[in-house]
Amino acid sequence: MKSAYIARLNLEDEHLLGVAAKIRGQMKALSRVVGDMDLYFLRDNEIRRNDVLLKRFGTGRLGRMLAYRLFFYPWLAHRLSPHDYIYIRYQGSSLLFLYLLWRLKARNPKIQIHLEIPSFPYDTEYAGLRDHMLGLVDRLFRRYLHHHVDRVVTFSRQACIFGIPAICTDNGVAVDTVPMMESPPEPGCFCLLGVANLAFWHGYDRVIRGLAAYYAQGGQREVRFLVVGSGKEREHLQRLARNTGMSEKVSFLGALHGKALDQVFARSRLGISSLGMHRLTVDTTSLKSREYCARGLPFVTDHEDPDFTAGFPFLYQAPASDEPLDIASLLAFLDGVEAMPHFRQKMRCYAEQHLGWNTKMQPVIDALAKAGCLPPGEGD
């Protein structure tokens, strides 16, 4: 079965390392039944298949823009051999994207094309004039997707998207690639950790305003907020920290990965997942919550997640509002969790049993089996 994963993303960009890990985890899970998958992606101004350079477009910023905006989809459309199965991470619709889909179906009318839409509905995620213009293009062309796409993969609970039947699943984590936190928490200081490509829907402003309120009300415990990542929201968060007098309590560490990121995790007592999902009309689940769980780090979020029900003892459920995070209540929750014996091992065990990509991609495999793409029993 000739299969491929297509992602029009620069997967070696330090801001997208989490997405790259997710894609490789998904591929590994799918490869159990569809065989080896090729990954087609961008690296700066280059189109690559796995680690092989296929085509380079120009140099510098112009070359990167040409590869991303103009040439990626049509180049693949003309050069991909017939495939039996294609899994595509959706980056919005355009005439060029529809052309790729049309060519794939023309080469093999029996091909199964699955389109993953990471968050849906996503129109409220657009920020700035350029994003809104791209959104207009997307809305113009996405109405035609149902002519070419067999199933949409969604982390929402939608049964049908753009007139295409949906496969509902959830985000996962490659547990075996994420080290569990072994060392005890740093004594005397409660470090809250946020790791993200910073955007307004992460709601980190709620943490900063919560710290300001905690100390204004006479809070005595030493609490710090470690922010790992960069993005459009970073400048706003830095300004907010200055304006609230929290600059010494909030550290902006930039993008980190590997051992440097592991060292920051080792200092941390609690992970901050998304606290601003209510600012979007979106139905999805958080990758970061799953990484925190796999590492054995208790965490806080403000939205319902089917993988972490109300009885999950290592999750602090904040209200879905713009109110400052209640730091005193959060610390009381954390004291309770840290009093539990072997709480990190219990979180890790839960992640291994429920959050791995083999589990999360099983509905996709079931859909392939139902479509007759797999030998009998192969999808079990």
Side-chain angles (χ1 to χ4, degrees):
M1 187 175 186
K2 191 172 180 60
S3 307
Y5 195 122
I6 296 175
R8 192 191 59 160
L9 291 169
N10 181 3
L11 294 183
E12 297 190 8
D13 186 319
E14 63 180 9
H15 305 304
L16 295 176
L17 293 178
V19 174
K22 167 184 173 176
I23 287 173
R24 292 187 169 92
Q26 290 177 313
M27 290 178 61
K28 184 177 179 180
L30 289 171
S31 294
R32 293 181 301 125
V33 294
V34 303
D36 292 339
M37 296 186 78
D38 288 320
L39 173 61
Y40 292 89
F41 67 102
L42 290 167
R43 190 177 78 174
D44 294 325
N45 60 331
E46 302 170 352
I47 296 178
R48 290 191 162 248
R49 182 186 66 238
N50 306 323
D51 294 324
V52 178
L53 170 64
L54 299 178
K55 181 67 177 178
R56 182 181 289 117
F57 299 95
T59 58
R61 185 175 180 180
L62 177 61
R64 290 193 296 271
M65 184 187 71
L66 290 174
Y68 184 80
R69 296 291 179 198
L70 286 179
F71 295 134
F72 182 74
Y73 290 139
W75 194 91
L76 290 180
H78 283 279
R79 287 162 179 82
L80 277 183
S81 58
H83 279 66
D84 302 300
Y85 177 54
I86 297 282
Y87 191 100
I88 304 174
R89 182 181 169 97
Y90 188 59
Q91 297 299 127
S93 289
S94 66
L95 185 60
L96 296 177
F97 182 55
L98 290 178
Y99 178 63
L100 168 64
L101 298 176
W102 175 78
R103 291 279 298 192
L104 291 171
K105 284 287 189 181
R107 284 202 173 100
N108 179 10
K110 295 183 178 180
I111 188 175
Q112 281 287 302
I113 297 178
H114 287 176
L115 185 67
E116 178 189 305
I117 301 181
S119 59
F120 185 85
Y122 53 81
D123 289 335
T124 54
E125 295 182 15
Y126 295 126
L129 179 61
R130 187 189 68 171
D131 283 354
H132 282 289
M133 293 300 293
L134 293 173
L136 290 174
V137 174
D138 173 58
R139 285 191 288 273
L140 176 63
F141 289 105
R142 69 192 186 192
R143 70 187 72 176
Y144 304 109
L145 288 172
H146 69 277
H147 294 298
H148 312 289
V149 175
D150 295 284
R151 301 292 290 270
V152 162
V153 180
T154 178
F155 307 121
S156 71
R157 306 278 76 86
Q158 304 288 328
C160 187
I161 296 177
F162 306 144
I164 306 166
I167 302 170
C168 295
T169 184
D170 289 300
N171 270 309
V173 62
V175 180
D176 58 333
T177 68
V178 177
M180 189 182 79
M181 296 172 63
E182 299 287 354
S183 59
E186 182 176 315
C189 179
F190 288 81
C191 288
L192 314 178
L193 174 63
V195 184
N197 188 16
L198 303 174
F200 72 93
W201 59 80
H202 292 119
Y204 287 180
D205 58 290
R206 296 181 64 188
V207 183
I208 297 173
R209 289 186 286 111
L211 286 172
Y214 174 73
Y215 285 109
Q217 295 163 7
Q220 297 297 311
R221 303 173 87 170
E222 180 65 20
V223 186
R224 294 184 179 273
F225 183 27
L226 309 178
V227 181
V228 174
S230 59
K232 298 177 181 179
E233 188 73 356
R234 177 170 174 163
E235 184 177 341
H236 169 248
L237 294 174
Q238 289 175 319
R239 185 168 58 251
L240 179 63
R242 289 193 300 268
N243 293 343
T244 56
M246 290 294 106
S247 292
E248 293 186 1
K249 302 294 185 183
V250 183
S251 299
F252 294 89
L253 306 178
L256 299 175
H257 54 89
K259 290 184 178 179
L261 180 59
D262 293 340
Q263 290 171 358
V264 176
F265 266 98
R267 297 168 53 194
S268 304
R269 307 284 282 270
L270 183 133
I272 307 295
S273 191
S274 294
L275 291 174
M277 295 300 288
H278 62 279
R279 298 171 180 173
L280 303 171
T281 55
V282 66
D283 181 9
T284 189
T285 54
S286 169
L287 275 173
K288 197 53 60 183
S289 295
R290 285 143 180 81
E291 181 182 348
Y292 292 149
C293 186
R295 286 182 180 267
L297 184 68
F299 58 98
V300 55
T301 188
D302 77 334
H303 60 282
E304 294 183 3
D305 190 315
D307 278 331
F308 305 109
T309 59
F312 189 72
F314 313 109
L315 163 66
Y316 180 88
Q317 188 74 47
S321 71
D322 287 333
E323 296 178 359
L325 188 63
D326 187 340
I327 299 298
S329 177
L330 192 65
L331 293 177
F333 159 79
L334 192 54
D335 289 339
V337 171
E338 291 182 352
M340 298 179 189
H342 312 298
F343 72 90
R344 296 199 195 282
Q345 290 84 352
K346 291 175 182 176
M347 294 183 73
R348 179 72 171 200
C349 183
Y350 181 87
E352 290 172 342
Q353 293 177 357
H354 300 283
L355 306 179
W357 281 117
N358 284 351
T359 299
K360 299 305 180 184
M361 297 306 286
Q362 189 60 45
V364 178
I365 293 169
D366 291 343
L368 284 173
K370 187 176 181 179
C373 300
L374 302 177
E378 190 70 27
D380 297 337

